[in-house]
Amino acid sequence: MALNARLDHRNPLVFDTHELGRRPGALQRLTRTVQAPKDFGIQGVVGVPEGTSVELELRLESVMEGVLVTGTARASAEGECVRCLEPVEQELEADFQEMFSYPDADDRGRVIAEPGDDAEDDEDRLFLEDGLFDLEPLLRDAVVLALPMQPVCQEDCPGLCSECGARLADDPDHHHDAVDIRWAALQGLADTMTDGEKDEMSGAEAGVDEKQEK
């Protein structure tokens, strides 16, 4: 993988490892509160609103080839129930771990890859730039994996009425009387008839019944 684009140390999601040093086994623990960047989640479904607080706990460990970053992010996610479309809010906790390699690191201490795997491994590697690393891409991936793909307001949410769109959780007894579609047209015709017409039709039907009985 190519080196990262020039990193800005003023970016709250960019971290400096100079204090950690390069002695294998050195540890550094960090906590930081940052603002959620734009489109932080599953777009159109659920995510952490831009500008809301994200609490970060990080553990930086110096190893032979770079810095191993292990951490947890906590934030409040918002979305929409996929069943009843009501707003949903839930506390999110996302764990992550990634190795950021030194640009000049050799292969000492690395697991020997199978032939043909080196190119793929290098493509997936992340690198430090002047002792800095950008946590945002790693954090985005972790948050997306921690979010529900189909958020619901409650596990047993009954959703909406398929006929009128009413929220069924608000009215557990909600229902519609079933109408046989074969009689629906006749019912509509009957509703438009006057009382006199209905009486004439009833009399005609009675006459037919008498003839059938004879």
Side-chain angles (χ1 to χ4, degrees):
M1 178 178 177
L3 296 182
N4 297 325
R6 190 69 181 177
L7 298 180
D8 184 353
H9 69 278
R10 295 169 297 182
N11 184 332
L13 286 173
V14 171
F15 291 81
D16 191 335
T17 66
H18 285 101
E19 186 177 338
L20 176 68
R22 295 185 62 164
R23 180 174 60 84
L27 293 174
Q28 184 179 13
R29 297 183 185 276
L30 301 172
T31 59
R32 183 178 295 183
T33 300
V34 301
Q35 291 186 336
K38 185 179 180 181
D39 299 329
F40 201 47
I42 306 172
Q43 192 169 6
V45 180
V46 63
V48 181
E50 181 179 3
T52 58
S53 295
V54 179
E55 303 289 338
L56 298 175
E57 293 183 5
L58 301 180
R59 178 178 183 270
L60 312 185
E61 181 180 0
S62 179
V63 295
M64 187 70 71
E65 62 174 305
V67 175
L68 179 64
V69 178
T70 305
T72 300
R74 296 182 179 87
S76 293
E78 298 179 2
E80 188 177 81
C81 178
V82 295
R83 298 178 188 171
C84 70
L85 309 182
E86 286 293 302
V88 172
E89 183 173 345
Q90 70 174 63
E91 294 305 307
L92 167 73
E93 183 171 303
D95 297 321
F96 50 87
Q97 185 177 74
E98 187 61 74
M99 170 70 72
F100 289 86
S101 300
Y102 299 122
D104 58 349
D106 57 26
D107 290 335
R108 288 179 299 173
R110 294 182 62 193
V111 177
I112 299 177
E114 295 294 330
D117 286 349
D118 290 344
E120 182 177 347
D121 290 344
D122 289 340
E123 190 70 23
D124 293 336
R125 291 175 70 187
L126 299 176
F127 290 89
L128 295 167
E129 181 189 319
D130 297 331
L132 304 176
F133 67 87
D134 185 2
L135 189 66
E136 183 174 339
L138 175 60
L139 191 57
R140 283 185 178 276
D141 290 344
V143 166
V144 168
L145 289 175
L147 287 169
M149 296 298 293
Q150 294 187 318
V152 291
C153 59
Q154 55 189 35
E155 290 299 325
D156 59 349
C157 174
L160 301 177
C161 173
S162 59
E163 294 191 38
C164 68
R167 187 168 182 263
L168 298 178
D170 296 334
D171 183 9
D173 296 326
H174 180 87
H175 72 281
H176 294 270
D177 293 331
V179 177
D180 191 323
I181 59 173
R182 294 173 297 178
W183 297 103
L186 292 177
Q187 182 62 45
L189 177 61
D191 291 340
T192 61
M193 294 174 63
T194 65
D195 293 338
E197 292 173 331
K198 291 180 180 179
D199 292 339
E200 291 179 3
M201 178 174 288
S202 298
E205 291 176 350
V208 172
D209 291 341
E210 289 178 357
K211 291 179 179 180
Q212 290 178 345
E213 290 176 356
K214 292 178 181 179

